Amino acid sequence: MDLTRHALPSNTTASTVNRYPAKAYVLCGPKEFRMVEGLLALPGPDELQVAIQAVGLCGHDIHYFENYWNQGERPMTLGLECAGTVSHVGSNATGFSVGDTVALETETPCGECTKCDEDRHDLCQNVVFRGGDLPTLEYQGAFHEKVNILAARCYRIPRSSLELVTLLKPLTIAMEALDRADIRRYSSILILGAGTIGLLCGAVCKTKFAKNVIIADIRDDRVQFACQHEYASQSITVPIFEGQGVGDRLRFAKKVAGDAMELSRSTYRGEFTDAFDVVLECSGSELSTQTAIYACRPRGKVIFVSMNNPTRAVPIAAAAQQRVEIIALNPTQNYGPAIKLLTKRSLALDDLVTQRYSGWESMPAALDMASRINDNEGSLVLKVVVNLDSIPETNQPGRSA
């Protein structure tokens, strides 16, 4: 099997002559993996070859693992959030050496369209995603022993664990959400959804000196975790909605918003008497979306961080009456600030990795665990990381440091 197409962007300049054995863990159907050994080209002049050593599992991986929705109906490799070690350096790739720990961007813009010319790579219409569902699947995911990737899409990471590096992508999302919110010192923040992204938003709020951070979720163990680990100052466990119809939904959303505002007022003895300056919607739930509007103060901001549910009913009249600014986040890949926070230990995120697995053969069990709410012992499942045994081989042909 030729792995060149399975590991490289379509515009690769890598040689098709110098290849050597490499393995990929390939998804062939719903929950059906097999290990494939094939040939991988050496990296092109502007590329690095990276031995994948840790993969953080996300909703994207779980979706394909369970459903195998694949336009091309051909085997594919998953894996978006990953970290590895440089094993080869292309002749034109500067700033990297063999043995460097690197993070890999999850997407690659085309570099040729109008938006790319304007340096708006986040709006590129031809962007390809690692582990995506392109009909040709030329840019596969990180479930490879090694991948070739443009050096411009890699970031050297000093002094940090590989597990934490796998959190960089969701951390960039949280950081952009808070940047767009433009929160000020002592702002009041409501976070709806206490999954990994919601918790990371809470962590970033601390670096912005937000005094009042309340987190809400339907899972009591999640909001307890958030407060125990100081991702939020207060929490609300949202009851399960049991009504019917739009009217019941809106009344329920108003009640949840009112409960959050009352908790804020009672906790801070009137210091925060208004609704929230910023509401971060991190669950993708329609009810959560409606709650966000009702909980936001006049001229405040609602940030839709989660896009899990692409179509939702929004009480737009209430938003207009309060002049609420609504921002739907389409995050860029701004890894630089996130790396600084991570490597300077400005954020303590080790507790977000709740389950760890080792080796390729553990991948199905790890993906199954990542789709669950609690593990067999009843512990919370947040971020599942698979540590791999890919070791850089520096004696292969190619440039080394």
Side-chain angles (χ1 to χ4, degrees):
M1 180 180 180
D2 182 1
L3 293 184
T4 301
R5 285 169 58 82
H6 287 254
L8 302 178
S10 57
N11 63 348
T12 179
T13 57
S15 167
T16 58
V17 178
N18 295 317
R19 303 179 182 178
Y20 57 90
K23 295 178 181 178
Y25 204 56
V26 177
L27 183 68
C28 303
K31 298 187 177 183
E32 180 186 347
F33 281 106
R34 63 187 174 96
M35 183 67 77
V36 174
E37 184 166 337
L39 296 175
L40 179 66
L42 290 173
D46 299 317
E47 297 174 331
L48 304 177
Q49 188 164 102
V50 179
I52 302 298
Q53 295 189 284
V55 179
L57 303 180
C58 65
H60 172 280
D61 301 318
I62 296 166
H63 170 76
Y64 283 98
F65 173 64
E66 294 181 340
N67 301 288
Y68 190 60
W69 186 81
N70 182 356
Q71 293 182 19
E73 296 185 355
R74 55 178 282 190
M76 63 187 299
T77 53
L78 305 178
L80 282 174
E81 301 166 3
C82 62
T85 304
V86 175
S87 57
H88 290 90
V89 181
S91 57
N92 296 337
T94 59
F96 296 93
S97 301
V98 169
D100 284 347
T101 297
V102 291
L104 284 62
E105 285 190 358
T106 60
E107 56 200 68
T108 298
C110 71
E112 300 176 352
C113 67
T114 302
K115 293 303 179 184
C116 285
D117 287 343
E118 296 172 354
D119 203 26
R120 292 303 309 272
H121 301 292
D122 55 316
L123 298 177
C124 174
Q125 298 300 303
N126 305 309
V127 65
V128 289
F129 294 86
R130 183 171 297 281
D133 57 353
L134 297 176
T136 56
L137 293 177
E138 290 184 333
Y139 194 34
Q140 294 266 10
F143 289 12
H144 279 77
E145 186 178 31
K146 297 181 178 70
V147 298
N148 293 345
I149 182 170
L150 293 169
R153 306 267 76 86
C154 293
Y155 298 85
R156 190 166 61 87
I157 310 293
R159 302 184 307 279
S160 186
S161 76
L162 288 165
E163 288 185 350
L164 289 181
V165 175
T166 67
L167 291 171
L168 272 176
K169 175 59 178 180
L171 180 57
T172 63
I173 295 173
M175 291 182 67
E176 181 160 348
L178 271 298
D179 286 344
R180 295 289 299 276
D182 191 28
I183 67 171
R184 308 299 170 90
R185 187 183 290 264
Y186 306 128
S187 294
S188 60
I189 314 293
L190 175 62
I191 301 172
L192 299 171
T196 301
I197 295 292
L199 294 170
L200 284 169
C201 284
V204 177
C205 281
K206 291 196 299 184
T207 70
K208 305 282 189 179
F209 302 102
K211 183 174 182 179
N212 178 23
V213 180
I214 295 178
I215 196 164
D217 198 283
I218 60 173
R219 298 284 308 183
D220 185 62
D221 53 356
R222 285 182 181 265
V223 295
Q224 286 187 24
F225 177 94
C227 290
Q228 290 169 1
H229 295 269
E230 299 183 345
Y231 291 100
S233 51
Q234 295 289 329
S235 67
I236 291 178
T237 302
V238 180
I240 301 297
F241 173 69
E242 296 179 347
Q244 295 181 350
V246 175
D248 286 349
R249 284 181 173 274
L250 295 180
R251 282 188 288 273
F252 183 87
K254 288 178 180 178
K255 182 181 185 307
V256 175
D259 291 344
M261 289 185 281
E262 178 57 33
L263 176 62
S264 175
R265 284 191 290 265
S266 62
T267 301
Y268 291 96
R269 301 179 184 275
E271 184 176 347
F272 297 99
T273 57
D274 206 346
F276 293 89
D277 299 311
V278 175
V279 183
L280 300 165
E281 199 297 295
C282 301
S283 74
S285 158
E286 186 169 78
L287 279 168
S288 180
T289 298
Q290 294 157 354
T291 299
I293 300 297
Y294 293 128
C296 191
R297 69 164 173 80
R299 295 191 180 276
K301 292 185 179 183
V302 170
I303 316 290
F304 293 150
V305 184
S306 172
M307 291 294 131
N308 290 340
N309 184 358
T311 304
R312 296 174 242 176
V314 178
I316 198 68
Q321 185 178 22
Q322 297 295 315
R323 291 175 169 77
V324 170
E325 182 178 352
I326 298 175
I327 299 173
L329 195 68
N330 178 24
T332 60
Q333 297 193 103
N334 193 5
Y335 278 54
I339 291 170
K340 288 181 180 179
L341 276 182
L342 199 64
T343 56
K344 290 182 178 179
R345 305 299 290 178
S346 301
L347 295 177
L349 303 177
D350 305 75
D351 47 30
L352 284 183
V353 180
T354 50
Q355 283 78 25
R356 296 169 173 84
Y357 288 79
S358 297
W360 293 107
E361 68 282 354
S362 71
M363 199 67 76
L367 281 160
D368 180 68
M369 179 61 68
S371 68
R372 297 168 58 179
I373 297 173
N374 299 96
D375 63 17
N376 294 335
E377 286 72 43
S379 298
L380 191 62
V381 176
L382 289 172
K383 198 65 176 178
V384 177
V385 172
V386 181
N387 294 293
L388 304 169
D389 55 2
S390 300
I391 303 298
E393 298 177 14
T394 58
N395 59 347
Q396 297 287 350
R399 179 182 140 198
S400 61

